[in-house]
Each structure stands twice: as structure tokens, then as C-alpha cells.
Amino acid sequence: MEKSHLKWVSLDKYFFMINLVLFGKPGAGKGTQASFLKEQFNLVHISTGDLFRNNIKNETPLGMLAKSYMDQGDLVPDQVTIDMLEAEVDQNPQAKGFIFDGFPRTEAQAGALDAFLKEKQMEISATLALEAADDVLVERLLERGKSSGRTDDQDESKIRNRFEEYNLKTAPLRDYYTKQNKFHSVNGIGSIEEITHRLTQLINSLN
Ligand code: AMP
């Protein structure tokens, strides 16, 4: 009896968990949208950027390492990021699903995430990419930098470097997830409510 119960739980998890990846360049609205979607779909929101910033605030060794990359607008090395992400997933065993915000950002991270979830009989349900033109994003980020205090939002050359990193390392993930039939593009221009509506409709249409 114990055994069949376990089987049911794992099947239930496999078929009914929603695990979403939110893609988008810096400033595309990933964090804002993730906080709405996590409420609506009862998901645990994991933002690797927020995790790094918390580590920086608490002056941990991981934070100090991450800061040296983040200050330049460069990506933090893969293995450090993957380990941090996996530890965060493991801390939420009761989760009904996850929304990954800012992870994966490289093919190595995407491969590691697939393998890690598979071990737990979980998988990515869909990846949603918020699309917006660079110039709109630069304006949004410089505006955000005035109140957020984020140094990586206050300097246009650092912002442009983050876009370069995205084009070079993250954009290829479009193909990675398209091959798995899991890539969805969403217009990221409009009011916050309009974009939440687009994302919600898309998620509801997933089978
Ligand atoms: P974000 O808050 O998502 O814009 O991330 C801010 C910064 O944190 C990025 O510019 C990177 O330096 C670092 N970072 C966040 N997520 C990742 C990731 N998945 N891989 C590598 N670096 C990351």
C-alpha cells in the first residue's frame, strides 16, 4: 500500500506540476510578472538574481563572488549558479510547481536543470519569453536604477553588456526549448495587467 501511494504521488507530480521558465532581457518585466503568476498558479518563485543580491546583502562568500560579475553586467559562472538554484529547489519539497526567473541563462544551465528535474520526476512545462526592443528596455532600466539602487541598472554601458550576454548565451535557449516544443514568445510591451493577461491565457492553454 505504501508503495502504490508513493507511485501515485510521483505520477501526480509528473503530470500536474507546472514548472515555468520566464525568459526576457533585463528590464523585460520577468520579476514583476513572476510575482503575479506565482499567486495565480500557486508556484514557488525562484529568481537567481534575487538570490545573488541576498547573498551580497548578507556578505556571504557566494555573494562576494557573484558581485564581481554582476557589477560588470557579466553572468556568474554556471556551476555556482546551478548549485545555488538546485539548493533552492530542494528547500521547497512541498512546492506545487516553480517559476524560474532569470534561470537558465546558458545551455549548460538548461541541460543541468532538465537533468536535475528529471531525477525528481519533474520537468519544465513551458518557457515564456517576454519580448521588448532594447531601447525601451534601456529606458526602463535607467528609470528603475534611480529607485532600486542597483548599480547594474544605473550605467548604460553595463546594461548594454547585459544585453550582449543575453544575445550571446541566453538567446540560443530559444532553439533548445523550441526543439522540446516548449518555447512561447509573448509581447512584453503594454501595461503590467495586459502582459499578465497574455501570460495567464498562454499558461491556461498548456495541456
Ligand atoms: P537579474 O536580476 O535576473 O537581472 O540578474 C542580475 C545579475 O545576476 C545578472 O546580470 C547576472 O550577473 C546574475 N545572474 C542572475 N541569474 C543568473 C544566471 N542564471 N546565470 C548567471 N548569472 C546570473
Side-chain angles (χ1 to χ4, degrees):
M1 191 174 164
E2 188 66 4
K3 220 173 171 186
S4 67
H5 173 70
L6 273 178
K7 214 168 168 185
W8 182 83
V9 169
S10 67
L11 277 177
D12 175 54
K13 254 190 156 176
Y14 191 78
F15 289 115
F16 298 110
M17 267 188 117
I18 308 179
N19 296 306
L20 302 172
V21 172
L22 264 189
F23 273 135
K25 285 185 181 169
K30 300 186 295 294
T32 307
Q33 294 301 331
S35 48
F36 287 111
L37 297 177
K38 78 169 181 190
E39 297 296 335
Q40 220 162 330
F41 295 97
N42 196 13
L43 307 173
V44 173
H45 173 202
I46 300 185
S47 155
T48 41
D50 285 349
L51 290 174
F52 284 134
R53 280 184 289 277
N54 277 336
N55 275 279
I56 292 172
K57 204 168 88 194
N58 296 324
E59 298 181 353
T60 68
L62 173 61
M64 276 179 273
L65 174 79
K67 189 174 179 350
S68 61
Y69 294 93
M70 290 168 77
D71 277 350
Q72 302 309 313
D74 292 336
L75 292 186
V76 178
D78 280 333
Q79 202 53 53
V80 175
T81 311
I82 291 165
D83 290 348
M84 178 180 74
L85 185 282
E86 293 186 355
E88 197 62 24
V89 171
D90 282 337
Q91 275 180 26
N92 289 281
Q94 303 307 328
K96 299 267 184 289
F98 292 90
I99 182 157
F100 299 108
D101 157 10
F103 186 96
R105 263 173 152 108
T106 66
E107 284 206 38
Q109 292 179 14
L113 181 62
D114 276 349
F116 175 70
L117 293 180
K118 197 169 174 198
E119 269 175 27
K120 299 176 179 299
Q121 293 171 293
M122 288 160 59
E123 64 174 357
I124 293 299
S125 317
T127 66
L128 315 171
L130 291 170
E131 314 277 3
D134 285 7
D135 289 344
V136 176
L137 297 177
V138 171
E139 260 182 54
R140 277 191 199 169
L141 287 169
L142 289 171
E143 199 50 45
R144 181 171 83 181
K146 287 182 196 163
S147 52
S148 72
R150 280 182 58 172
T151 48
D152 59 346
D153 282 347
Q154 291 167 355
D155 176 333
E156 186 164 340
S157 68
K158 285 181 190 169
I159 292 174
R160 298 266 176 205
N161 186 47
R162 285 154 72 198
F163 290 173
E164 281 293 300
E165 287 280 80
Y166 186 93
N167 290 336
L168 206 68
K169 298 174 183 168
T170 310
L173 293 182
R174 175 185 287 263
D175 285 348
Y176 181 94
Y177 286 110
T178 299
K179 278 188 197 132
Q180 298 187 12
N181 228 349
K182 289 179 181 170
F183 187 87
H184 306 268
S185 204
V186 176
N187 179 359
I189 301 289
S191 70
I192 291 176
E193 296 76 27
E194 278 166 347
I195 299 165
T196 309
H197 184 65
R198 284 172 206 152
L199 289 166
T200 305
Q201 278 193 316
L202 212 160
I203 297 165
N204 283 332
S205 74
L206 299 170
N207 47 24

